[in-house]
Amino acid sequence: MYRTLKHFSLSLFLFCNFEFNLAQLSTCSGTGCPTNGVWGAWETIGDKACDMECGGCGTLFQTRDCISAPVCNCTGPSNRNIGCNNVACKYPTQKTCCPPFVPMVLNGTQVCGPLPKNIENSACCPQTALMSQWTGWQLQNSQWARTRDCLTVSIGCPCTGQTLTQTQATCPCAQPSNATSACSNLAIATPIYYRQLIINDATGSADLVLIAQNQGAGKIYCKALTDAYGSALGYEGAMLMMQEVSGQCTTDTVFGCAKGTDNARQNATFTCDGSTGNWIYDFTGKQIVGIVQGSWN
Ligand SMILES: *[C@@H]1O[C@H](CO)[C@@H](O)[C@H](O)[C@H]1NC(C)=O
Ligand SMILES: *[C@@H]1O[C@H](CO)[C@@H](O)[C@H](O)[C@H]1NC(C)=O
Ligand SMILES: *[C@@H]1O[C@H](CO)[C@@H](O)[C@H](O)[C@H]1NC(C)=O
Ligand SMILES: *[C@@H]1O[C@H](CO)[C@@H](O)[C@H](O)[C@H]1NC(C)=O
């Protein structure tokens, strides 16, 4: 019982020594990038069990990330081998400690030191908080939310006073612009009517209400479909013209023009992509930035 307990408290002590210097780093003296950048804590990769029982004779492989890159790039190694189980070996082993460790008393216990540090002595908390980019907006319970991380939390430097989560009721996709200019000069149709999407903030979907009936000379909102499927069914379609992210214009025929009804309307539907802030035209899955209804040429 005594042996077990002693063993336990010793291994706890040694484990803690790899973690304790997470304590308080001081604030960097200068503004701008800290000397050597900001390294994250060393983390053991692969087999985390030490293959030797004492003396720092076993080795663990560790890596660390430069958490301030690419704003502040780091200098120094990003991986290392360290000795593990640094409790001093007891008689009758030949050596008390494996090199480069030497016996020393630390906190009342005989160990093989100096113990490897989890964080460089020179590390400090940057004066300007280092944070990741915002994630895209995501719909959560009819609200839009996005988050970002404080990059230095893992080395004990919180980003005090910084907003890490934002929520809003408004859909993050802005109204598509008037694509009249982008969609001029197409042989198939001429841009004629721009109106805004009717946006449902809580679902991130939107309707574009197209005119689905011919009215007046020179405004051909509806045209009989010429493809095999549409013509077989006798369908007429409205012309939707859209500006893509690349700037190019793309067109789609929206089914369902009315025959003989006044003020007929037909909807094209869109879904907000919170990660890009662009609307996606549901029928093709394409991201669009501009819309306009065309008059068939
Ligand atoms: C950091 O390193 C990356 C990759 O090597 C490089 O593209 C970037 O320009 C560097 N940033 C600075 C601020 O030097
Ligand atoms: C030294 O031991 C004391 C009592 O066990 C403990 O509170 C303290 O954190 C230890 N210090 C280090 C550096 O491990
Ligand atoms: C759309 O753009 C065209 C060309 O710039 C312009 O003539 C038209 O008035 C605009 N439509 C609306 C509703 O803003
Ligand atoms: C078209 O969109 C409007 C506005 O969202 C909506 O009120 C209407 O019910 C929709 N019509 C159809 C046929 O879905």
Side-chain angles (χ1 to χ4, degrees), residues 25 32 37 47 67 78 85 94 100 109 137 139 142 177 216 228 244 257-258 265 274-275:
L25 295 179
D47 190 359
I67 56 183
S78 59
N85 275 357
Q94 282 189 338
T109 310
W137 290 97
L139 205 48
S142 305
S177 60
E244 297 184 21
C257 279
R265 300 285 180 265
S275 60

Side-chain angles (χ1 to χ4, degrees), residues 90-111:
K90 298 237 167 16
Y91 180 82
T93 49
Q94 282 189 338
K95 282 179 293 187
T96 311
C97 296
C98 282
F101 300 110
V102 292
M104 55 177 69
V105 174
L106 208 75
N107 217 10
T109 310
Q110 205 193 9
V111 298

Side-chain angles (χ1 to χ4, degrees), residues 31-269:
T31 52
C33 288
T35 316
N36 300 333
V38 184
W39 286 105
W42 288 103
E43 282 181 43
T44 301
I45 301 296
D47 190 359
K48 293 185 171 61
C50 193
D51 52 358
M52 302 293 265
E53 282 174 12
C54 63
C57 305
T59 51
L60 296 178
F61 180 64
Q62 297 193 319
T63 65
R64 60 179 181 173
D65 291 328
C66 178
I67 56 183
S68 56
V71 183
C72 302
N73 286 339
C74 295
T75 52
S78 59
N79 57 63
R80 70 177 183 184
N81 287 302
I82 56 150
C84 51
N85 275 357
N86 286 57
V87 58
C89 296
K90 298 237 167 16
Y91 180 82
T93 49
Q94 282 189 338
K95 282 179 293 187
T96 311
C97 296
C98 282
F101 300 110
V102 292
M104 55 177 69
V105 174
L106 208 75
N107 217 10
T109 310
Q110 205 193 9
V111 298
C112 297
L115 295 173
K117 293 248 186 281
N118 195 285
I119 290 172
E120 298 290 316
N121 285 332
S122 62
C124 54
C125 294
Q127 288 192 8
T128 308
L130 281 172
M131 285 164 297
S132 66
Q133 302 277 57
W134 287 104
T135 60
W137 290 97
Q138 283 182 322
L139 205 48
Q140 289 171 357
N141 305 320
S142 305
Q143 288 269 315
W144 293 91
R146 64 175 184 171
T147 59
R148 60 179 172 179
D149 294 324
C150 172
L151 295 175
T152 50
V153 163
S154 64
I155 59 163
C157 308
C159 297
T160 311
Q162 299 294 327
T163 305
L164 299 178
T165 302
Q166 284 184 334
T167 55
Q168 62 180 40
T170 313
C171 181
C173 290
Q175 282 290 345
S177 60
N178 178 352
T180 296
S181 308
C183 292
S184 56
N185 305 323
L186 259 64
I188 194 171
T190 307
I192 191 159
Y193 185 56
Y194 168 74
R195 61 157 53 176
Q196 298 202 323
L197 298 179
I198 297 165
I199 298 171
N200 183 331
D201 287 316
T203 61
S205 58
D207 288 309
L208 175 65
V209 184
L210 297 163
I211 301 170
Q213 188 183 42
N214 286 328
Q215 36 185 258
K219 294 178 180 174
I220 308 168
Y221 291 112
C222 290
K223 189 179 184 180
L225 299 181
T226 52
D227 66 287
Y229 178 72
S231 57
L233 292 170
Y235 278 171
E236 290 192 347
M239 166 50 58
L240 173 60
M241 310 178 90
M242 295 166 284
Q243 185 182 356
E244 297 184 21
V245 179
S246 66
Q248 268 198 328
C249 186
T250 182
T251 63
D252 190 46
T253 306
V254 182
F255 279 4
C257 279
K259 290 175 180 166
T261 324
D262 282 339
N263 298 320
R265 300 285 180 265
Q266 179 64 37
N267 288 355
T269 62

